[in-house]
Amino acid sequence: MFWQTARFRIDLSRPHVMGIVNATPDSFSDGGQFFRPEDACARCDALVAEGVDILDIGGESTRPGSVAPDWREELSRVLPVVRHAAGLGVPVSVDTSQPEVMHEVLAAGADIINDVRSLDRPGAVDVVRQDPQAGVCLMHRQGEPTTMQQAPRYADVTAEVQADLARRLGGLVAAGVAAERVVLDPGYGFGKTDEHNITLLRQQRQLLALGRPLLVGWSRKRTLGQLTGRPVDQRQAASVAAALAAVTLGARIVRVHDVAATVDALKVWQAAGLSDLEGVCSH
């Protein structure tokens, strides 16, 4: 299966590692560490050296309780980083929901729009549709970051996530965006309790029926802290284990902070033949 993006047709016959570059002052794990453009650019360089497959640059924290910057502030955070990353030889994703930001970063060389709000904002679908090949990731969420963890409820979390993603994918294809440009993210941690997240992971293979690759993000999240008792800066092992579990259950892209550790773990996973398990690569 392939993912068509602006400059790259990505072969997802093996799982890919998407490395996080948070050009933000307030992200839950590394907020402020790469806020200056020069630090975020250096982070991109380091992740490429560690073997990252895709860079994901974001200028808005979407941690629970966060408040979004306006689009001009967000653009000032990410645009110099995108311009630098576009010359590093790997696909560049931008984590944004702002149509104005989408337009500018695609013009600057970005390949992918990774939108936690699934192009809900007015004009977002138009920006993606008007670009002939840019990739897009649609993510499930319940609520907005400011309130999403207050009281998330589902009758059947997996069925509801699947139905929502199917609706969003269908709407985008109907709007004129080819399905091969789209991947889907079940949105672990976005309007979901720890129990919801674990249930969704266990049942993740059901989402393969949607017919598009799955991109998942477990890295350093609260549920891993609940499972292990570890604070956010001590969740590398749990994050790598979650990434391996996710790809064994059908994910093709894992979005992570700890690139080198995840790349190494996936090399062992592939050497063990786990990529040949029934159901993992058949979709």
Side-chain angles (χ1 to χ4, degrees):
M1 183 174 281
F2 291 87
W3 184 15
Q4 181 62 56
T5 72
R7 296 178 298 158
F8 298 86
R9 184 170 174 82
I10 303 172
D11 182 356
L12 295 175
S13 59
R14 65 165 179 87
H16 278 52
V17 175
M18 173 182 273
I20 298 168
V21 181
N22 285 323
T24 59
D26 56 347
S27 292
F28 82 97
S29 175
D30 55 4
Q33 190 173 352
F34 309 110
F35 184 45
R36 296 190 308 165
E38 56 267 40
D39 293 331
C41 291
R43 169 74 168 165
C44 292
D45 295 342
L47 295 187
V48 170
E50 291 177 9
V52 81
D53 296 298
I54 304 167
L55 290 167
D56 189 49
I57 300 161
E60 175 197 353
S61 171
T62 50
R63 63 179 173 79
S66 61
V67 177
D70 67 33
W71 72 265
R72 293 174 182 83
E73 170 62 23
E74 184 182 338
L75 183 63
S76 73
R77 296 175 181 180
V78 300
L79 193 57
V81 189
V82 170
R83 288 172 173 158
H84 174 79
L88 297 179
V90 299
V92 176
S93 168
V94 178
D95 186 350
T96 184
S97 300
Q98 302 274 20
E100 299 89 348
V101 176
M102 295 176 188
H103 180 270
E104 294 297 328
V105 297
L106 288 172
D111 301 285
I112 298 158
I113 298 299
N114 179 16
D115 185 3
V116 300
R117 296 177 180 86
S118 292
L119 307 180
D120 273 354
R121 290 186 172 167
V125 170
D126 290 336
V127 173
V128 171
R129 179 174 54 204
Q130 289 164 10
D131 189 287
Q133 292 193 130
V136 61
C137 178
L138 303 176
M139 193 194 79
H140 175 274
R141 77 186 196 287
Q142 189 179 94
E144 284 293 314
T146 51
T147 59
M148 65 186 179
Q149 290 305 114
Q150 290 181 3
R153 294 181 181 178
Y154 300 87
D156 183 330
V157 63
T158 306
E160 291 175 48
V161 168
Q162 182 171 347
D164 180 75
L165 290 174
R167 176 180 62 82
R168 293 180 184 279
L169 174 61
L172 192 56
V173 170
V177 177
E180 68 172 5
R181 294 170 55 186
V182 185
V183 302
L184 303 172
D185 183 346
Y188 291 110
F190 282 78
K192 299 172 184 71
T193 65
D194 298 329
E195 183 179 357
H196 293 145
N197 289 325
I198 295 301
T199 298
L200 187 57
L201 178 62
R202 289 173 175 170
Q203 299 175 354
Q204 183 180 275
R205 283 186 182 173
Q206 294 181 31
L207 304 180
L208 300 177
L210 294 165
R212 294 305 303 151
L214 298 181
L215 185 158
V216 305
W218 268 100
S219 187
R220 303 183 185 177
K221 287 189 174 176
R222 186 191 67 179
T223 298
L224 300 181
Q226 291 295 110
L227 289 171
T228 64
R230 302 283 186 183
V232 67
D233 61 347
Q234 296 178 23
R235 295 176 190 164
Q236 183 188 79
S239 297
V240 172
L244 292 179
V247 297
T248 301
L249 294 168
R252 294 288 87 193
I253 305 143
V254 287
R255 182 178 181 271
V256 306
H257 298 86
D258 302 299
V259 167
T262 308
V263 168
D264 287 352
L266 283 171
K267 288 176 180 176
V268 177
W269 181 89
Q270 290 177 280
L274 295 176
S275 59
D276 296 325
L277 286 176
E278 183 179 356
V280 174
C281 291
S282 60
H283 293 268

